[in-house]
Amino acid sequence: MIKGTILLLLYACCDIALAAQCGKVWLTVSSLWRPIAASDKVVDAELEVNWELDCPTSTEYPDTIKVFTADPVHNKTIRPKLILSPLEHPRGYYRTNITVGRPPLPGGWDTRDGATLPGPHCLKYHVALYKDGNLFMSSCLRIWPTWMYDLRRQLGRLPIGSLMIPGTHNSGCYKHGDLTRRDVFQRYLLTQDRNVWTQLVHGIRYLDIRVGYYPSRPNATAPGEESNSINRFWVNHDVIRITPLSAIIKDVRNFLDVARGEVVIMDFHRFPVGFEGRPSRHRRLATILHREFGDLILKPDRGVVGLGPTLNDIWTGGGRLIICYGDKHTVNGYEWLWPSLSQAWGNQQTVEGLFKYLDDVIMGPKRSRNSPNPLWAVMAELTPYPLDIIFKPSGGLRQMADAVNRNLTVRFQEKWWKETNIVATDFFLGNNLIDVSIQSNIKKSNIAQWRL
């Protein structure tokens, strides 16, 4: 078992190294959907093939890309599900009609309370580059549930504020199961298509959460029950409630219990419903969070300004959950709450506008390190106009994420990784930022070691 985990780690870490001379190929999952004739169901979560080729003049370019349902490196006889020619698709992208769906998570990570194996684990689909029939490099659609601790020798010395941390925007606004036509009409409400447990298992470590309080919600609490019942708190998209907060808390708690070296950031960023002028409701929420997470909470060092504790410091102390809270008065009342986390929000409606904003924010003048919170997040998604909801019935957040996600992978991989802390996206499986973050952190570690 240990040998297999080590081989997987080496295999995953070497994806970029193996293809360094020519580029790489990777798999993502589309955020788009297609209707099925005469059916309430739709087709979604289809496989995407992505590649970036940049060979030196002395090296011939790969001529074929193949998609498999098993590893072609170890299964030489498997037949491909799809064969592509990179020259026929100069954009470096191809959306297939292969449905990924919501498959069981490998390595025991689907059970939430069973035996779980550390290290990266491949899902069913693999992709490979070939030249004249010879395998050049391959990769898979994979989960990496324990990447921080797996790479502790390289990453342990890095402060939390210097890591590149993959995250999700409006993390609790999801529909995890198969979509129907009715679900897709919530086109401006849902931002993810995997629940928080699955997000964390894939490698997400930052959760963006907006909470509403509903004192008279039906079936919230029976007479005589505890007044701060968690059932009154919901995760919202703006003023619309989407998911019970209890489901998010349960997923985070279960994950931290089984992934014992991982650090998770919960950013309670806004409180759009039920909190205005009601400090007692903030106190109720703080009480619930402390009750549910207890010793797992990492306390901030409010007397120190900088990049925050290193991962080694965090592992030594024991607490691995950072709770940032977007209400200053509440933060002042609890020593274990981290101050509000700064989000770089472009409020952009076009891909060009968003990328210009991100370039200015990430590559512009260095951010001030005087903030009481060493963490900051780039929110890498488009924002619809309010009237889009009425006048663009064929649009929605899935289409907007599709327009952005493919290009984000390459931009962060080539240019933005050095100066990025947290990056949050919609429909995170549509980009490869988890792998990019892991590889970027290894490079950051190597740079830090070289400077010592």
Side-chain angles (χ1 to χ4, degrees):
M1 183 185 301
I2 295 176
K3 182 179 179 182
T5 299
I6 293 173
L7 287 174
L8 269 173
L9 278 168
L10 290 173
Y11 177 64
C13 290
C14 289
D15 274 357
I16 289 178
L18 287 171
Q21 60 177 332
C22 259
K24 62 177 296 191
V25 61
W26 66 94
L27 296 172
T28 53
V29 179
S30 175
S31 60
L32 301 178
W33 61 275
R34 294 185 289 110
I36 300 176
S39 174
D40 183 51
K41 296 182 179 180
V42 302
V43 176
D44 76 318
E46 292 178 304
L47 197 68
E48 302 171 318
V49 183
N50 310 262
W51 61 93
E52 185 188 14
L53 305 180
D54 185 18
C55 303
T57 55
S58 59
T59 303
E60 293 189 61
Y61 276 70
D63 54 26
T64 308
I65 296 173
K66 298 180 182 181
V67 177
F68 300 90
T69 55
D71 184 0
V73 175
H74 298 103
N75 189 338
K76 305 293 186 182
T77 61
I78 188 170
R79 297 176 64 86
K81 292 279 289 184
L82 178 69
I83 301 176
L84 298 172
S85 169
L87 294 177
E88 295 177 1
H89 305 279
R91 295 174 61 195
Y93 163 80
Y94 184 82
R95 179 185 172 196
T96 78
N97 61 0
I98 300 171
T99 301
V100 176
R102 281 117 187 121
L105 300 172
W109 290 95
D110 208 46
T111 62
R112 306 192 189 198
D113 55 2
T116 51
L117 300 177
H121 303 277
C122 289
L123 292 166
K124 182 178 180 180
Y125 295 103
H126 295 249
V127 64
L129 274 175
Y130 291 84
K131 173 62 180 174
D132 296 329
N134 296 313
L135 180 66
F136 184 75
M137 67 90 62
S138 68
S139 66
C140 66
L141 189 65
R142 63 171 161 250
I143 62 172
W144 200 319
T146 54
W147 65 265
M148 285 181 165
Y149 202 64
D150 292 338
L151 300 171
R152 57 192 176 276
R153 293 185 183 276
Q154 295 100 316
L155 307 187
R157 67 175 70 89
L158 294 179
I160 191 74
S162 72
L163 288 171
M164 182 174 173
I165 299 173
T168 48
H169 163 241
N170 270 340
S171 308
C173 298
Y174 58 80
K175 170 68 187 295
H176 183 74
D178 294 336
L179 291 182
T180 65
R181 288 178 184 260
R182 184 177 61 180
D183 295 322
V184 299
F185 288 129
Q186 293 181 297
R187 58 191 181 278
Y188 290 103
L189 292 178
L190 302 180
T191 57
Q192 307 298 333
D193 56 5
R194 297 294 189 275
N195 60 26
V196 165
W197 167 268
T198 307
Q199 293 176 35
L200 294 170
V201 168
H202 270 275
I204 294 296
R205 293 294 175 267
Y206 167 81
L207 303 173
D208 169 46
I209 302 169
R210 293 99 192 281
V211 180
Y213 181 83
Y214 296 87
S216 59
R217 191 185 74 81
N219 302 320
T221 49
E225 282 191 9
E226 187 179 5
S227 62
N228 67 353
S229 170
I230 194 172
N231 295 322
R232 297 179 184 268
F233 295 92
W234 282 66
V235 172
N236 278 33
H237 191 150
D238 201 8
V239 296
I240 307 298
R241 65 177 182 232
I242 304 294
T243 307
L245 180 61
S246 59
I248 312 301
I249 289 178
K250 181 179 179 181
D251 280 352
V252 174
R253 176 77 209 205
N254 287 343
F255 179 77
L256 288 171
D257 283 344
V258 295
R260 298 188 178 274
E262 301 306 287
V263 178
V264 174
I265 303 159
M266 295 182 75
D267 180 13
F268 289 84
H269 198 74
R270 289 182 56 233
F271 307 91
V273 173
F275 284 86
E276 184 69 28
R278 301 278 190 154
S280 63
R281 293 177 180 176
H282 284 291
R283 292 194 293 270
R284 291 177 188 177
L285 179 53
T287 299
I288 289 170
L289 294 175
H290 195 269
R291 181 185 71 208
E292 296 294 330
F293 293 112
D295 292 341
L296 286 172
I297 298 174
L298 175 66
K299 297 179 181 178
D301 189 346
R302 300 188 184 179
V304 176
V305 176
L307 294 174
T310 66
L311 287 179
N312 284 336
D313 294 334
I314 294 173
W315 291 323
T316 300
R320 294 179 288 112
L321 175 64
I322 295 173
I323 301 179
C324 304
Y325 204 86
D327 182 79
K328 182 177 180 181
H329 296 292
T330 306
V331 170
N332 291 338
Y334 300 90
E335 63 174 357
W336 47 272
L337 287 178
W338 289 56
S340 180
L341 188 150
S342 173
Q343 290 185 347
W345 182 269
N347 195 28
Q348 298 292 319
Q349 287 74 44
T350 66
V351 176
E352 296 77 15
L354 176 64
F355 278 53
K356 182 183 184 305
Y357 170 80
L358 294 178
D359 203 47
D360 291 343
V361 167
I362 297 171
M363 304 304 295
K366 292 210 178 279
R367 298 178 61 84
S368 170
R369 297 301 182 188
N370 295 323
S371 169
N373 192 327
L375 302 167
W376 69 285
V378 170
M379 311 305 286
E381 57 275 333
L382 293 174
T383 305
Y385 287 114
L387 291 179
D388 286 346
I389 299 172
I390 300 173
F391 294 111
K392 289 189 177 181
S394 62
L397 299 180
R398 290 178 178 273
Q399 284 77 8
M400 298 174 87
D402 179 70
V404 170
N405 271 334
R406 289 196 302 277
N407 301 312
L408 281 177
T409 299
V410 175
R411 294 293 183 96
F412 277 99
Q413 180 176 286
E414 293 182 347
K415 185 177 181 182
W416 292 340
W417 64 272
K418 289 184 181 179
E419 304 298 333
T420 298
N421 183 205
I422 297 166
V423 55
T425 61
D426 288 344
F427 299 100
F428 73 98
L429 288 178
N431 59 63
N432 199 36
L433 289 181
I434 294 173
D435 273 21
V436 170
S437 297
I438 293 169
Q439 299 296 339
S440 297
N441 289 326
I442 293 172
K443 289 189 286 187
K444 289 183 179 187
S445 174
N446 292 337
I447 291 171
Q449 188 175 24
W450 177 79
R451 287 175 177 172
L452 292 177

